[in-house]
Amino acid sequence: MTRFIGYLLVALIVYTLQVSLFSEFLVARIRPDLSILLILFIALNEDITMGAILAFIFGIMKDSLAGGNPGLFGFSYLLLFFIATMLFNRLNPESAPLLVVLSFFGVILEGAFVVVSLLFAAHTAVNWSQIVGSVVGQAAATALVCGVVLWLVVFVREHLGVRLPFIGLKYLEDEYECDR
Amino acid sequence: MIVLILFTGFLYYSYHLKNRGVKNFWERTVLDVASPAIQTADSLIESVYQTVSTYLYLVEAEKENQTLRKQVAELSGQEAKYQELSLENERLRKLLHFQKEIEDAFVSAQVVGEDASGWFRTVLINKGELDGIKEGMPVVVADGVVGRIIRTGQTVSRIMLLPDPSSSIAVLIQRTRVRSICQGQGDSLSLEFASNDADIEVGDRLISSGMGGLFPKGVTVGRIVSAAKPETGFFQTIEVEPAVDYSRLEEVIVLLRELDE
């Protein structure tokens, strides 16, 4: 329960940053989407049920703070979560470059899901140029943030000796724990 | 299990597509919970921005003579402050003057955040249901039409801006009194259903016609920047520049008028 509330608090901080700080200093075309990093994190660290519930809640939170119909991002994030879980079961999740690449394609996929989902609402006009024009820049900015965060975690571990449990790296350590 | 969860998510989305007017408990809760955080963050960012700006300015001036630097910094700081105050004064004066012209009851609000995704043209304001704001209410500034309220919390509301593709407004070309519909196109607007023989010129000013019943008649919407008559087809392709600079919205006015159901 504590972890669940912790996730919600982190999500609240992330969305507050996106709505206020990023929008103040960054144009929409290069604004990182930190919620995708949250989805990747829970896909790596949580089981299917808990992860799916969290992904849906993160999506609904985004729905409340963005345009579009309620459930649009909720559904998109559910799909993204399942795809990320499936990929992490097949690929090497402790590879930092892979996580950076996944964060990039996560935003692209999110954009694609949103566009497809909007198509279901025939009475809602879809601004293709707005989404398509922004999504690549946002994906690049998100991948950059993901890379910086991973680099920072490794740096802190190596130079300050602080063992931060973190995305991807957790798997590597679990493996060592098993070997011992 | 996965299919069931996905289906539930899809059902939720579909339900809200069909029942757009239905109050969404979850969304309202998120808005109410996030509202204090967003408003605090907005104030914090503003303070930090001011502090950092001042600090950066002082660092640059460090190279100068100590006395002169202090003097210059003080004078420049004062000038910037006066300039900011003057701009704010001008903005508020304009708003106040505009408020006097408005016949409807209204609420003034400040923009505290933008769209979380960056894919839709929406902004958050620091007033909500406690101030009498309801979904669907029109929002304006002295320069013209801003948009309409699409979601409300207790102390925060979300506005869909006019340039969003889901937005449209009934307009009147001021010079010729031709009626038409203005549709959002992301960054600009377009004039829809203007027949080829309609008298439309670049530079024509568009005002709200009041036909939809939502916006009062006569509020500026924009100005025609290009008009082309296609070789085939009945309607002209017309691009409209909005009267309001939506990237610089700070204070807005919510008109407390509702559409009759």
Side-chain angles (χ1 to χ4, degrees):
Chain A
M1 191 62 189
T2 314
R3 205 165 72 235
F4 186 80
I5 293 169
Y7 275 123
L8 293 187
L9 283 176
V10 171
L12 186 64
I13 293 168
V14 160
Y15 286 126
T16 302
L17 281 176
Q18 290 200 190
V19 167
S20 49
L21 185 73
F22 292 171
S23 62
E24 184 83 20
F25 297 104
L26 300 171
V27 293
R29 289 177 202 281
I30 54 162
R31 209 176 289 164
D33 190 348
L34 300 185
S35 48
I36 289 295
L37 303 186
L38 275 178
I39 298 293
L40 290 181
F41 189 89
I42 57 170
L44 262 174
N45 292 290
E46 299 301 333
D47 60 52
I48 287 278
T49 314
M50 170 87 155
I53 292 169
L54 281 168
F56 191 60
I57 291 175
F58 292 165
I60 291 195
M61 287 175 85
K62 190 165 183 176
D63 277 320
S64 306
L65 299 167
N69 296 298
L72 176 66
F73 284 102
F75 183 57
S76 302
Y77 277 15
L78 260 182
L79 284 170
L80 269 180
F81 168 75
F82 286 127
I83 291 173
T85 309
M86 198 179 69
L87 284 174
F88 285 141
N89 287 337
R90 285 164 176 75
L91 301 172
N92 172 24
E94 62 263 23
S95 156
L98 175 74
L99 293 174
V100 172
V101 169
L102 283 181
S103 66
F104 180 88
F105 284 105
V107 179
I108 302 278
L109 265 181
E110 182 192 4
F113 288 150
V114 166
V115 168
V116 172
S117 305
L118 281 172
L119 287 177
F120 281 99
H123 51 291
T124 303
V126 182
N127 187 13
W128 298 88
S129 59
Q130 180 89 7
I131 296 180
V132 174
S134 305
V135 78
V136 177
Q138 287 186 354
T142 308
L144 182 71
V145 170
C146 180
V148 168
V149 170
L150 287 169
W151 177 81
L152 268 178
V153 171
V154 174
F155 182 85
V156 167
R157 283 180 167 210
E158 284 179 5
H159 292 83
L160 304 178
V162 182
R163 281 183 86 246
L164 294 173
F166 205 71
I167 186 166
L169 302 172
K170 177 179 172 289
Y171 274 66
L172 199 63
E173 277 156 9
D174 287 350
E175 213 168 284
Y176 286 141
E177 296 290 335
C178 293
D179 288 346
R180 281 177 212 156
Chain B
M1 181 71 176
I2 292 174
V3 173
L4 186 70
I5 295 171
L6 272 176
F7 186 64
T8 311
F10 181 68
L11 273 185
Y12 179 83
Y13 174 53
S14 304
Y15 173 78
H16 285 288
L17 277 182
K18 200 173 178 186
N19 303 282
R20 289 170 152 239
V22 175
K23 295 269 183 189
N24 185 319
F25 168 77
W26 296 110
E27 207 174 24
R28 285 157 52 90
T29 308
V30 171
L31 276 176
D32 289 338
V33 171
S35 158
I38 291 167
Q39 291 186 39
T40 310
D42 188 57
S43 314
L44 268 176
I45 289 163
E46 189 61 30
S47 325
V48 171
Y49 184 71
Q50 292 295 339
T51 312
V52 171
S53 304
T54 312
Y55 175 75
L56 288 177
Y57 181 83
L58 288 175
V59 168
E60 182 64 29
E62 193 71 41
K63 296 167 192 167
E64 304 286 329
N65 176 285
Q66 199 70 10
T67 317
L68 191 62
R69 187 193 66 137
K70 197 178 173 187
Q71 210 172 8
V72 169
E74 276 176 9
L75 285 171
S76 303
Q78 275 179 3
E79 193 194 344
K81 201 174 169 183
Y82 288 144
Q83 204 171 0
E84 183 57 31
L85 280 172
S86 165
L87 285 170
E88 191 181 354
N89 191 11
E90 193 182 327
R91 224 171 45 233
L92 293 176
R93 192 189 295 271
K94 209 170 165 185
L95 202 64
L96 194 67
H97 180 70
F98 181 60
Q99 284 173 355
K100 283 178 186 165
E101 290 177 4
I102 298 172
E103 290 168 0
D104 298 274
F106 63 85
V107 169
S108 303
Q110 276 198 312
V111 174
V112 292
E114 279 188 28
D115 193 281
S117 70
W119 295 339
F120 301 93
R121 301 300 307 269
T122 66
V123 292
L124 287 167
I125 54 169
N126 66 345
K127 296 283 169 70
E129 287 170 358
L130 292 179
D131 305 282
I133 295 177
K134 291 180 182 167
E135 287 167 15
M137 285 181 168
V139 185
V140 296
V141 289
D143 291 332
V145 172
V146 171
R148 65 189 167 86
I149 303 286
I150 54 166
R151 289 286 179 272
T152 53
Q154 294 288 308
T155 57
V156 70
S157 305
R158 188 145 51 94
I159 302 171
M160 178 163 282
L161 301 175
L162 191 56
D164 190 278
S166 305
S167 285
S168 59
I169 182 173
V171 294
L172 205 58
I173 298 170
Q174 200 173 37
R175 182 178 60 86
T176 59
R177 316 310 285 177
V178 169
R179 292 184 191 281
S180 187
I181 301 285
C182 214
Q183 172 86 41
Q185 295 294 335
D187 291 322
S188 63
L189 308 169
S190 65
L191 199 65
E192 306 289 320
F193 313 118
S195 60
N196 279 337
D197 55 353
D199 178 15
I200 292 171
E201 287 176 9
V202 171
D204 275 347
R205 190 162 167 254
L206 302 179
I207 55 171
S208 57
S209 70
M211 284 294 280
L214 186 62
F215 286 93
K217 187 177 179 180
V219 184
T220 309
V221 172
R223 192 176 57 88
I224 292 174
V225 287
S226 73
K229 291 180 182 175
E231 288 178 9
T232 55
F234 299 106
F235 303 115
Q236 300 184 46
T237 308
I238 297 167
E239 193 186 348
V240 178
E241 182 186 57
V244 176
D245 183 351
Y246 296 97
S247 61
R248 292 171 186 270
L249 277 180
E250 288 181 70
E251 295 95 9
V252 296
I253 291 173
V254 183
L255 303 180
L256 302 180
R257 54 156 59 191
E258 291 175 78
L259 268 178
D260 295 331
E261 292 294 328

